[in-house]
Amino acid sequence: MLLGLMAVGAFALQGPLTQLINATQGPADFTEEEAADGEPIVVMINDGDSGADIATTLLDEGVVKSFDAFYDALLAMTPEPIFQPGAYQLATRLSGTAALSAILDDANKLELTIVVPEGTAAVDVLQIISEGTEIPLTDLQAAAADLTPYGLPAEATTLEGFLFPATYTFAPGITAVDAITTLVKRQFQALDSVGVAVEDRWSTIVLASLIQREAGLRDDYYKVSRVFLNRLEPSLWDSGLLQSDATVAYGTGNTHLVTTTDAERADAGNLYNTYVHPGMVVGPISNPGDLAIDAALHPADGTWLFFVTTNLDTGETVFSDTVAEHDAAVIVWQDWMRENRPVE
């Protein structure tokens, strides 16, 4: 009994003790020994990024071990530093202080280098190009309005879907048309390398762009691909409606969202509204990378018709065949939201 009480007491004290240790030892940080195993990486700081935004980016890219490792070093600096947008040559596994020093070192800022993340919409890609080069945004917008130089499929009415997400370094004096052409050719290269015929570029990119915006974990890309293809199969889904919030949001101009309102989902005037218009979405809704393209070409085997991410932190997603199964998964997601994302 005494041993049992001791165990219960130790368990009860585990949380407070952990908090005390964290408070006295500081945030998790990479050591010099760990830094020795770091690898070069290019990180993009966008115009308007706050210190918290940069800390999050560095954590996601594996540059720092924790958000606080960088953010605490930032708060300790006087005066508060001013960050310049652009691409920076850093390394993974840096201490928070080392990462901050590296970003503030002008020698690490890569001139005329941009980083385009997967799933970025074309309007935002043009902004990224402008921020990382000497090309005015107005020049890029004008160059994007005329698709003639780029050899896009006949169905394309914009550049959307054909600006491959990657890291690019441009020569000084490059024109807006040449910069855009570089990204388009890189997307064609990605399609050619996996055997996509020229006549299939459009359909592949449209599906891949949808997968890119809707999928989370790597393996889920192939399941998401299958869900949307199943919804185009009349024997499995007679309405033919993809019912993708990401497509609806894109049609409203909210390129950073995958959530919508009841009114938006009912708006037939939105040509990208797949709750109203059956069949595949009318055009790409993002610029997909290699994984999404591969998933479009090689969907997983399954009869799923629904999916919902039940844990936004881990990306855990439940795929279901029936409405009843999906409704049960939605309840799990709603419970998670109430516990982890309470509405203030």
Side-chain angles (χ1 to χ4, degrees):
M1 183 179 297
L2 179 59
L3 290 174
L5 290 172
M6 291 173 64
V8 171
F11 180 80
L13 289 173
Q14 184 176 358
L17 287 173
T18 300
Q19 294 177 354
L20 178 61
I21 291 172
N22 289 340
T24 56
Q25 292 184 348
D29 209 356
F30 286 122
T31 64
E32 291 184 5
E33 291 77 12
E34 290 174 320
D37 295 325
E39 299 179 353
I41 187 172
V42 175
V43 174
M44 189 74 184
I45 294 178
N46 298 308
D47 188 25
D49 276 359
S50 65
D53 294 328
I54 296 172
T56 300
T57 299
L58 296 179
L59 177 61
D60 292 342
E61 297 290 349
V63 176
V64 295
K65 196 169 189 176
S66 68
F67 176 96
D68 289 338
F70 178 84
Y71 200 66
D72 286 357
L74 174 60
L75 294 178
M77 179 169 285
T78 304
E80 182 178 347
I82 298 176
F83 297 104
Q84 299 298 323
Y88 289 80
Q89 181 66 64
L90 304 178
T92 59
R93 305 171 71 87
L94 293 178
S95 69
T97 301
L100 178 58
S101 298
I103 292 176
L104 296 177
D105 186 346
D106 290 340
N108 292 322
K109 189 172 186 296
L110 300 176
E111 296 301 326
L112 305 183
T113 296
I114 66 167
V115 179
V116 179
E118 295 175 340
T120 306
V123 62
D124 299 313
V125 175
L126 298 182
Q127 182 70 43
I128 290 172
I129 296 174
S130 179
E131 291 174 0
T133 67
E134 300 169 345
I135 306 172
L137 180 59
T138 53
D139 289 0
L140 289 160
Q141 291 169 336
D146 179 12
L147 302 182
T148 306
Y150 310 118
L152 298 182
E155 299 92 335
T157 58
T158 71
L159 292 168
E160 198 69 80
F162 293 93
L163 302 174
F164 188 79
T167 299
Y168 299 90
T169 299
F170 299 108
I174 189 171
T175 67
V177 171
D178 287 343
I180 291 173
T181 299
T182 299
L183 274 66
V184 173
K185 286 185 175 180
R186 180 63 183 83
Q187 184 63 282
F188 289 164
Q189 178 186 342
L191 294 169
D192 292 344
S193 67
V194 291
V196 176
V198 173
E199 60 269 23
D200 294 330
R201 284 176 174 174
W202 176 255
S203 59
T204 301
I205 284 295
V206 172
L207 177 56
S209 75
L210 177 56
I211 297 167
Q212 187 73 69
R213 293 293 290 144
E214 289 279 13
L217 301 177
R218 181 180 184 86
D219 290 345
D220 289 344
Y221 276 62
Y222 300 88
K223 292 182 178 180
V224 168
S225 178
R226 174 53 64 191
V227 168
F228 287 125
L229 291 174
N230 284 346
R231 287 195 171 194
L232 295 175
E233 175 54 56
S235 64
L236 296 175
W237 189 256
D238 57 9
S239 74
L241 295 171
L242 295 184
Q243 296 181 331
S244 163
D245 287 83
T247 65
V248 178
Y250 180 85
T252 66
N254 293 319
T255 58
H256 301 93
L257 299 178
V258 291
T259 56
T260 56
T261 66
D262 290 341
E264 289 170 341
R265 291 191 296 274
D267 180 14
N270 179 352
L271 297 181
Y272 288 84
N273 186 351
T274 52
Y275 280 87
V276 175
H277 303 294
M280 181 53 69
V281 61
V282 295
I285 62 170
S286 73
N287 289 282
D290 288 323
L291 178 59
I293 292 171
D294 190 60
L297 297 173
H298 305 102
D301 291 330
T303 55
W304 311 291
L305 292 168
F306 309 88
F307 63 90
V308 60
T309 301
T310 55
N311 186 317
L312 301 187
D313 287 342
T314 65
E316 180 181 355
T317 299
V318 174
F319 291 81
S320 306
D321 290 3
T322 68
V323 173
E325 292 172 346
H326 180 62
D327 288 346
V330 169
I331 292 174
V332 174
W333 166 68
Q334 292 172 337
D335 290 342
W336 187 93
M337 290 292 290
R338 278 191 290 269
E339 294 177 5
N340 298 275
R341 301 285 195 277
V343 177
E344 298 181 358

